[in-house]
Amino acid sequence: MQHYSDRERLRNASCVVTMIDKMTVLYDPANSKRDPRQYTFDYSYWSHDGYWERGDGYLESTSPSYVDQRKVFDDIGAEMLQNAWKGYNCSLFAYGQTGSGKSYTMMGFGTNKGIIPIMCDELFSSIETKKRSASLDQEFQVSVSMLEIYNEQVRDLLNLSLHVRGGLKVRQHPTKGFYVESLTSHAVYSQADIESRIVEGTRNRTLASTNMNSTSSRAHTIVSIYFHQKSRNNAGQFVTKMSSINLVDLAGRFADDTVVHDSNRE
């Protein structure tokens, strides 16, 4: 539950949601006597209030109920990173109404880093730690790709010079599964490298203004991090452990027909 949007402030909106631990409670604004609806989830995160903004822009908690970006990563993203180290592929999807905070949760803003940049920080921090204790035969390789799906067309956000009529093609490999033909993957060697790539891709995303969100993402965005670990086994043979982390920020959905946006084709 995020703070008021500019549109909500202009309309003097009142909050009709409360959260109690894992329970989300909704109140009917048109009928205060109606019993509230209660929903229990694995996690319910309250970030509507209970914080103050530091000089560097970070939103720091002033209330036990407030949940910051780090807490969300610890609950959801940390396990994904652990699985990647074990060699498993994993994916995380953010879905919901436009303006609900999907991109903020996944990407973050300023010093309030989201799941994706925190995961990149943690991955390279772990790699540096393991390098200090690893043998010379151990190698770690990381690469990243970033694409968007807009109007049923796939676009490489890290290579805008690649123009393919109708967008990039999605193919199916008999053993590797689905992949995007000609999508570029870029090797990264530090947290600064991968952050630079993600900032570049984020800048190239398709955005549009709606009545509910002035910078609504109008496309599905997928950040894929490819992680290779190479080491020797007990028999002295090289073994490569490969995993991919797919972080998906889906385009915002509209709750009703009153929302006006720029394209009728979305």
Side-chain angles (χ1 to χ4, degrees):
M1 176 62 186
Q2 67 167 5
H3 54 263
Y4 286 126
S5 66
D6 292 339
R7 175 176 180 263
E8 289 167 335
R9 291 192 186 96
L10 288 173
R11 297 180 63 182
N12 293 319
S14 59
C15 184
V16 294
V17 181
T18 60
M19 291 181 178
I20 306 170
D21 295 328
K22 297 182 178 181
M23 181 182 295
T24 297
V25 183
L26 305 182
Y27 298 89
D28 186 349
N31 185 359
S32 59
K33 295 182 179 180
R34 184 178 179 181
D35 291 337
R37 296 180 180 270
Q38 299 179 349
Y39 304 91
T40 301
F41 301 96
D42 292 334
Y43 301 101
S44 288
Y45 295 120
W46 180 266
S47 55
H48 180 69
D49 56 19
Y51 63 87
W52 73 284
E53 184 173 347
R54 296 190 324 210
D56 60 358
Y58 185 77
L59 304 181
E60 188 170 289
S61 173
T62 59
S63 167
S65 61
Y66 176 77
V67 175
D68 64 5
Q69 296 279 63
R70 182 71 207 194
K71 171 63 175 174
V72 177
F73 173 81
D74 290 343
D75 287 344
I76 299 174
E79 185 177 1
M80 292 182 63
L81 190 55
Q82 292 171 6
N83 289 334
W85 275 102
K86 296 175 183 177
Y88 295 107
N89 298 332
C90 44
S91 299
L92 176 64
F93 292 79
Y95 175 81
Q97 180 176 311
T98 183
S100 61
K102 299 179 302 301
S103 295
Y104 178 74
T105 300
M106 296 295 280
M107 300 291 186
F109 182 79
T111 54
N112 298 281
K113 294 183 177 181
I115 289 176
I116 293 175
I118 293 178
M119 184 171 292
C120 296
D121 289 349
E122 292 294 317
L123 174 60
F124 277 100
S125 176
S126 298
I127 288 175
E128 290 303 316
T129 299
K130 288 184 178 292
K131 278 183 176 180
R132 288 193 288 268
S133 59
S135 66
L136 295 177
D137 292 332
Q138 283 188 292
E139 296 180 12
F140 305 97
Q141 298 175 351
V142 182
S143 59
V144 63
S145 67
M146 193 169 178
L147 64 85
E148 75 170 12
I149 305 172
Y150 178 67
N151 269 344
E152 300 183 0
Q153 295 186 8
V154 180
R155 192 166 69 112
D156 189 340
L157 293 176
L158 298 180
N159 186 12
L160 295 184
S161 62
L162 179 63
H163 295 287
V164 178
R165 186 176 182 181
L168 302 180
K169 305 301 180 184
V170 179
R171 308 293 190 189
Q172 185 174 15
H173 190 276
T175 57
K176 297 180 180 179
F178 291 97
Y179 69 98
V180 177
E181 189 175 57
S182 301
L183 179 68
T184 58
S185 176
H186 301 264
V188 287
Y189 304 97
S190 67
Q191 187 277 333
D193 275 353
I194 196 168
E195 182 176 351
S196 174
R197 288 294 183 181
I198 292 175
V199 168
E200 175 189 353
T202 301
R203 187 171 55 244
N204 294 331
R205 297 174 73 187
T206 299
L207 301 177
S209 177
T210 72
N211 278 348
M212 299 189 70
N213 187 3
S214 60
T215 57
S216 175
S217 172
R218 304 308 325 125
H220 307 307
T221 305
I222 304 176
V223 177
S224 295
I225 302 170
Y226 310 100
F227 182 35
H228 292 190
Q229 307 169 67
K230 184 183 292 185
S231 61
R232 290 186 184 274
N233 60 16
N234 293 332
Q237 300 171 320
F238 273 109
V239 177
T240 300
K241 192 183 295 184
M242 299 181 294
S243 59
S244 64
I245 306 170
N246 301 295
L247 303 158
V248 185
D249 183 10
L250 295 172
R253 308 310 302 164
F254 300 118
D256 56 52
D257 295 333
T258 63
V259 179
V260 178
H261 48 95
D262 292 343
S263 173
N264 293 322
R265 299 180 300 166
E266 294 172 8

